[in-house]
Amino acid sequence: MEQVALTLYELNRRVRDVIESSLTEDYWVQAELSDIRERGHCYMELVQNDAWGHTPVAKARANCWANRWPALRRKFEQATGSPMRQGMQLLLRVVPTFHEAFGFAYQVTDVDPSYTLGDMARRRQEIVRLLREEGVFDLQRELQLPLFAQRVAVISSASAAGYGDFCRQLAENVYGFAFSVELFEAAMQGEQVESSVIAALNRINRHIDEYDVVVIIRGGGATADMSGFDTLLLAENVANFPLPVITGIGHDRDECVLDMVAHTRVKTPTAAAAWLVDHLAEVYDRIEEAQDRLRAVVERRIERERMRVDRVAERIPTLFALYKTRQEARMDALYGRLSAAIARRLERERHRLDLAERTAASLDPQRLLRRGYSITLLHGHSVRDPKLLQEGDEIETRMEKGTVKSVIIK
């Protein structure tokens, strides 16, 4: 029997008729967004992986036409704070369609952002669980912020309005505090957030002694993409960073994971600057309070010492009189002992003098001469040995009643 062949168009037409006749309703479908492109219309690639998340078990294309896409996109971003991006779990309302030339696709008519929010929350919870298991979730809050946190390393986009607001807030603070701010540029939205912020942290870490604190800020926006701040790797790097990290990434929704692990989280860049100023103001107040307490302590000590000196001064006349009496008594006692000692010493010396006089008298040559002795002198010295005399020497002989001079002849 001869087979009748259909053209591809005819077969596709029959497939289209079957789909349009049998799938006449809209369906809510859960799927992961594996790719998305916008060209007026929005073109999506949907996928469902197996239970282990490695192998796709279903794939399909989905389209949202330009007459519906802007409103749908706005609805999603206002609810989630993030644009649709690869890897997100979506709950889409779709109509199955088949076109003879373009094949099968789902036409997207609506989206339920709460489903994506739930999935994002589950992902954040999983990241938090892993961080807690690693023991790093609370590391930043254990760091002590320096008292004088004035050297600030800022991670932000240079063109972000939030960075300018941050710098102005610091420079124009009402206290006149001086801050040193250095920018480390990084992407603040999109797929490059994780890698660029980590790279900025690494650059800061190479000069860690030059900074007191790190501030991660970004300017707010109606459709700010926060998903880049909900990654495990970025959270680990911030949690383990050796300096306190302050986040002010400009959103009022639930905290992102980066906020959760940071030392301090504020809502906006301006609030981050105000927080640093307030911290320094608190330190200044503490210094003034300490100065006042020190002044009061010193004044009390001075007053006590003045009173003590006054009391001592009042007692000085009495003490001096007592001292004078004691000293006079001592002097009298010393004088008495000294007088007695002097008298004893004079007596001893007088006795010695008498002995010396008697000894001198006994040795007087006149006494010997009166007894009949004579003294022979040569040049005024007594001659004891005649052998010492030479011929021609003139000698003098002294006797009781006169002197005789002689010349030696041998």
Side-chain angles (χ1 to χ4, degrees):
M1 180 177 179
E2 184 178 355
Q3 294 182 346
V4 178
L6 298 175
T7 66
L8 177 60
Y9 176 82
E10 290 173 334
L11 181 57
N12 283 356
R13 181 67 184 184
R14 291 187 182 186
V15 172
R16 177 177 178 175
D17 292 341
V18 170
I19 290 175
E20 289 180 352
S21 61
S22 60
L23 301 175
T24 58
E25 302 176 3
D26 291 358
Y27 300 90
W28 285 100
V29 61
Q30 301 172 358
E32 179 182 321
L33 185 62
S34 63
D35 192 19
I36 182 170
R37 300 182 305 280
E38 291 186 61
R39 299 193 184 103
H41 308 298
C42 179
Y43 303 96
M44 307 177 189
E45 296 289 340
L46 306 179
V47 65
Q48 178 182 343
N49 293 320
D50 60 17
W52 296 273
H54 302 304
T55 305
V57 296
K59 289 184 179 182
R61 290 187 297 111
N63 305 318
C64 188
W65 304 128
N67 62 343
R68 188 180 296 270
W69 170 242
L72 189 147
R73 178 180 60 188
R74 185 164 51 251
K75 172 185 176 180
F76 183 86
E77 292 180 354
Q78 288 177 348
T80 64
S82 172
M84 291 185 187
R85 56 185 290 274
Q86 182 180 353
M88 280 186 171
Q89 294 292 329
L90 303 178
L91 180 60
L92 302 172
R93 187 169 187 146
V94 299
V95 177
T97 63
F98 189 86
H99 190 275
E100 294 85 343
F102 303 110
F104 182 84
Y106 291 111
Q107 299 302 319
V108 178
T109 61
D110 201 357
V111 63
D112 183 356
S114 62
Y115 177 83
T116 303
L117 283 173
D119 180 69
M120 293 169 66
R122 286 190 296 273
R123 290 191 179 189
R124 281 198 294 270
Q125 291 173 357
E126 177 63 15
I127 293 174
V128 170
R129 183 187 67 80
L130 293 172
L131 292 171
R132 291 188 185 279
E133 286 182 357
E134 295 172 7
V136 302
F137 186 78
D138 294 312
L139 288 182
Q140 270 286 311
R141 282 175 287 279
E142 295 174 2
L143 295 177
Q144 185 71 35
L145 188 73
L147 290 178
F148 301 96
Q150 296 172 275
R151 302 176 301 168
V152 186
V154 178
I155 298 177
S156 180
S157 169
S159 59
Y163 173 63
D165 294 340
F166 175 83
C167 292
R168 279 191 297 275
Q169 184 80 3
L170 287 185
E172 299 172 3
N173 71 86
V174 296
Y175 302 97
F177 297 144
F179 290 88
S180 172
V181 178
E182 184 170 351
L183 174 65
F184 292 81
E185 287 197 65
M188 289 289 108
Q189 64 181 20
E191 297 180 358
Q192 300 302 315
V193 169
E194 178 186 82
S195 59
S196 62
V197 172
I198 291 175
L201 288 171
N202 290 336
R203 293 198 300 274
I204 295 171
N205 194 47
R206 285 195 288 270
H207 304 280
I208 198 73
D209 294 335
E210 298 177 12
Y211 309 101
D212 302 314
V213 64
V214 176
V215 176
I216 302 177
I217 54 176
R218 66 193 293 271
T223 60
D225 181 3
M226 301 301 302
S227 59
F229 299 98
D230 277 329
T231 72
L232 177 62
L233 186 58
L234 179 56
E236 288 173 334
N237 274 265
V238 170
N240 285 286
F241 202 72
L243 291 180
V245 176
I246 300 170
T247 58
I249 50 182
H251 66 109
D252 295 324
R253 300 190 57 80
D254 295 337
E255 290 179 311
C256 64
V257 175
L258 189 65
D259 289 329
M260 296 179 187
V261 300
H263 179 278
T264 301
R265 176 248 180 171
V266 295
K267 290 183 178 180
T268 64
T270 301
W275 189 88
L276 288 173
V277 172
D278 290 344
H279 170 74
L280 205 56
E282 290 177 5
V283 173
Y284 181 74
D285 290 342
R286 289 167 58 185
I287 292 174
E288 285 199 323
E289 291 174 3
Q291 183 177 351
D292 292 340
R293 290 197 299 270
L294 180 61
R295 184 185 298 111
V297 169
V298 171
E299 289 176 351
R300 288 195 298 269
R301 181 62 180 271
I302 291 174
E303 183 61 25
R304 286 199 300 269
E305 293 301 317
R306 182 180 293 112
M307 294 173 63
R308 190 175 69 84
V309 169
D310 290 342
R311 289 195 298 270
V312 172
E314 291 173 357
R315 295 174 57 192
I316 283 177
T318 303
L319 294 173
F320 179 75
L322 179 62
Y323 178 79
K324 180 180 178 183
T325 300
R326 290 177 179 174
Q327 292 300 110
E328 287 177 346
R330 290 179 60 189
M331 291 297 294
D332 290 343
L334 289 173
Y335 179 76
R337 292 196 298 271
L338 183 61
S339 297
I342 291 174
R344 290 193 297 272
R345 182 63 178 268
L346 288 174
E347 185 62 27
R348 287 196 302 271
E349 293 302 322
R350 186 178 296 110
H351 178 68
R352 290 177 60 192
L353 184 60
D354 290 342
L355 291 176
E357 287 179 352
R358 287 195 292 271
T359 301
S362 66
L363 297 176
D364 187 359
Q366 288 299 121
R367 295 184 64 183
L368 295 175
L369 294 178
R370 284 194 294 271
R371 292 178 182 178
Y373 292 98
S374 63
I375 298 173
T376 301
L377 301 175
L378 176 64
H379 306 308
H381 300 285
S382 61
V383 177
R384 297 182 179 181
D385 187 354
K387 295 179 181 180
L388 299 176
L389 298 175
Q390 303 293 328
E391 186 175 356
D393 288 342
E394 184 179 290
I395 61 174
E396 179 181 345
T397 303
R398 292 183 182 180
M399 293 168 284
E400 180 184 2
K401 295 183 179 180
T403 301
V404 177
K405 293 185 178 181
S406 306
V407 176
I408 299 300
I409 300 175
K410 289 187 178 180

